[in-house]
Amino acid sequence: MGLSLRWNLWTLFVLASGETGIVTTLTARQFDGAVGGSVFMFTTLEVPPRNIITWTAGSNTIATLEDGQNPTYSSICVSRCELFQNATLRLDRLLVSDPKSYDQSIKNKDDDKTTSIPVTLIVHNLMTPPVLTANPTSRPVHGNNLTLKCNNGSQTVYNYTFLRDGQIVSCSSSHITCNTTSQHLDFHPITENDSGNYTCIILNPVSSSSSNSLMLDVAVKVSDVILQNNASKPVTVDKDSVALLCSSRGTEVNYTWTLRELDLPLNPRYHLINNNSTLIISPVSREDHGYFTCTVANYLNNETSSNLTLSWAPDGQITCGAERLDDSIQLFCSWPWGYPAANLTLKFANQEASGTDKVTRNVSLTHPASVLNCEGHQGWTQSCSLIIDTPKSSGISSDTLVEGEWGKKAILSVPLTSEIRKENIIVPQQLLPATFTWYRLTPEPVPLLHGENFTVISNDFVSYLVVSPVTSDVTGQYMCTAENLIGKTSFKFTLRLSEGQGSSGINLSPGAVAGIVIGAIAAGCIITLTIVLLQKKLSDKKQPANETSKIDFQPSGVSNPYMNPGVQDEDNYEELQFQDNIEYDKISP
């Protein structure tokens, strides 16, 4: 069964035979052999040419060899030993019962001196596989203590080694106790990272053997359950989708969900994926109000997450508005249908109010002009600003002069603007809408109706009076009143012919006069048709005139685009087409 695996050296002081009495320092040797195997025992003694080599076991000589002769063996060595010329003794078919102590002697026949050295032989059994067991035998749990034992039976073991997944377990880990002379591997405590396939190896000088494989699957209790929403801000109802993610520590876990403390209802919008750890809601609905939870469980324990409430954005944009209430005005900030409800702050002059969804504040009709500021918070911030004042138009004097050319058109306009300027206002300042009425002063105000010479085109923030054609009959004074829920403002105009174009200076032939009349009639028909089409278009886009005291949202800002109070020619008029998503057709003379 092979040669010895190990030999040891030590030093002895030997008194050599002979008259000289010389003391020689010699080194003793130890050999290890396996049962049934062979061992070569040799020393460092010098072999002289003329020698007698002797091996003894205790007091018994087992082998002798004299130079030039064949070796002789005792009964213990017959058919098991071979002594070589260099003094090496081979011993075969080793037995545990073989002697342990031997002496090698070499005699120099020339000087009759003998040198000897002791030799030790230890015969070992071959290692048989140990049995690896765990205590306790039940499945290990993270945080509990556990011991592995490498059971070797009655074998003499020189070294123990534990392996996890084929790698040597380090005995320097803080939660592990082991050493090469102990058959135990102690975990105090075992952790989930210690899971793996374990074996142990036992070793003696001539052999080693590995144990059975023992799988440690460390169970982990459920802990640290966290429920998260992948949406970073409130979502849009009936449009956006969200994913609720439930995570935890623990092994072999399962997930259950609740909404408003009841089992998650069956709903085609709810989709559970990833072993039910993820809930996708597509799309989010107002039915999803309340709070969600997820519960994670395994055979050891269960744990429920904190409550998670979905958030969805309010409808549309924040609104600044005002309503007439008898002798007062109700100001409001509105941003409804958010979940949770949006937090609103209303500021007007030195007053402030807070609330959710909609905040109101009543002020007197006689309150000085000021700006209503609204700010809303619901995942993000929105704001708006509304000027509370009677109608103003900074481009119009007390009596604005407009000159028109004979036979062409003249346009009188009233664009609403604001004279209030607030610092630190980032959002556009909106205006209260107004209704417009045009009069001809004769000298009493007479309301103008659509007819041959007059066309009125208005929206909430600007009004045009188109006079076409301009003749001496339509010159004179005009007035436009603009009225909102705060009050009414009048704007006066004087329309006259351009210098040198009075009626007395014009001499027309009968044919020319007839041509003008026919052209005016045709223009009137075209204008009438255009106005009908415009009114139809406006009726689809504007609220009725009798509802103008209630404002929900005004698109115009302080910088009103309709600024020229008087336009005398067709080309300039074409540059003043209405904006705010309302298109107006060109009016031909």
Side-chain angles (χ1 to χ4, degrees), residues 127-431:
M127 305 300 311
T128 59
V131 177
L132 184 61
T133 59
N135 183 27
T137 58
S138 58
R139 182 178 179 181
V141 176
H142 174 91
N144 293 349
N145 293 338
L146 180 136
T147 297
L148 295 182
K149 183 178 181 181
C150 191
N151 298 284
N152 59 73
S154 59
Q155 301 179 89
T156 301
V157 177
Y158 284 66
N159 181 281
Y160 293 89
T161 302
F162 289 88
L163 297 92
R164 178 169 66 92
D165 298 330
Q167 302 296 318
I168 295 176
V169 175
S170 173
C171 295
S172 62
S173 299
S174 59
H175 70 295
I176 291 177
T177 298
C178 61
N179 61 68
T180 58
T181 62
S182 173
Q183 63 183 150
H184 295 102
L185 173 63
D186 297 311
F187 297 92
H188 45 84
I190 196 168
T191 70
E192 58 183 315
N193 295 327
D194 296 319
S195 292
N197 203 3
Y198 285 81
T199 56
C200 69
I201 297 175
I202 56 175
L203 182 73
N204 67 13
V206 297
S207 67
S208 65
S209 186
S210 179
S211 72
N212 57 295
S213 177
L214 181 63
M215 181 64 190
L216 293 185
D217 183 13
V218 181
V220 181
K221 293 182 178 180
V222 175
S223 63
D224 302 330
V225 178
I226 298 175
L227 182 55
Q228 295 176 302
N229 182 355
N230 73 327
S232 58
K233 63 179 183 180
V235 297
T236 302
V237 169
D238 299 327
K239 178 181 178 182
D240 292 338
S241 300
V242 298
L244 306 186
L245 313 174
C246 188
S247 61
S248 72
R249 293 189 63 201
T251 51
E252 300 173 8
V253 297
N254 55 73
Y255 302 85
T256 56
W257 294 78
T258 65
L259 173 59
R260 298 186 292 273
E261 298 185 356
L262 299 175
D263 290 343
L264 189 70
L266 295 176
N267 192 311
R269 296 183 299 105
Y270 295 161
H271 308 276
L272 290 170
I273 61 173
N274 298 334
N275 192 32
N276 295 342
S277 66
T278 301
L279 171 62
I280 295 177
I281 304 175
S282 179
V284 172
S285 165
R286 287 193 172 90
E287 297 176 2
D288 304 324
H289 67 88
Y291 58 85
F292 290 82
T293 64
C294 73
T295 298
V296 185
N298 61 14
Y299 80 97
L300 294 170
N301 69 321
N302 63 75
E303 186 175 302
T304 300
S305 70
S306 300
N307 297 338
L308 186 147
T309 301
L310 293 183
S311 297
W312 49 78
D315 286 354
Q317 306 293 317
I318 189 171
T319 300
C320 295
E323 293 179 346
R324 179 72 174 267
L325 300 175
D326 297 328
D327 59 349
S328 65
I329 300 173
Q330 184 178 81
L331 308 178
F332 65 85
C333 301
S334 178
W335 204 20
W337 297 111
Y339 186 80
N343 293 312
L344 300 176
T345 301
L346 179 153
K347 294 181 180 181
F348 181 76
N350 60 348
Q351 303 182 52
E352 183 172 328
S354 298
T356 58
D357 282 341
K358 184 175 183 179
V359 180
T360 62
R361 174 69 67 177
N362 292 348
V363 297
S364 171
L365 276 174
T366 60
H367 194 286
S370 188
V371 177
L372 167 65
N373 291 310
C374 298
E375 187 172 88
H377 301 274
Q378 208 261 17
W380 75 100
T381 300
Q382 281 197 14
S383 57
C384 61
S385 182
L386 177 65
I387 296 172
I388 307 299
D389 194 7
T390 56
K392 297 288 192 302
S393 184
S394 58
I396 299 179
S397 61
S398 58
D399 189 1
T400 300
L401 176 63
V402 178
E403 291 187 343
E405 295 185 29
W406 185 280
K408 294 188 176 182
K409 68 177 64 171
I411 301 173
L412 287 62
S413 64
V414 178
L416 296 186
T417 60
S418 174
E419 299 176 356
I420 299 177
R421 294 292 184 270
K422 286 287 185 180
E423 297 181 357
N424 302 323
I425 299 297
I426 299 176
V427 297
Q429 296 179 357
Q430 304 158 11
L431 297 171

Side-chain angles (χ1 to χ4, degrees), residues 85-106:
Q85 294 291 335
N86 63 357
T88 297
L89 177 66
R90 187 188 76 199
L91 183 59
D92 299 326
R93 300 190 301 278
L94 296 175
L95 302 171
V96 174
S97 59
D98 285 337
K100 291 182 173 55
S101 298
Y102 298 83
D103 281 294
Q104 180 194 58
S105 300
I106 299 176

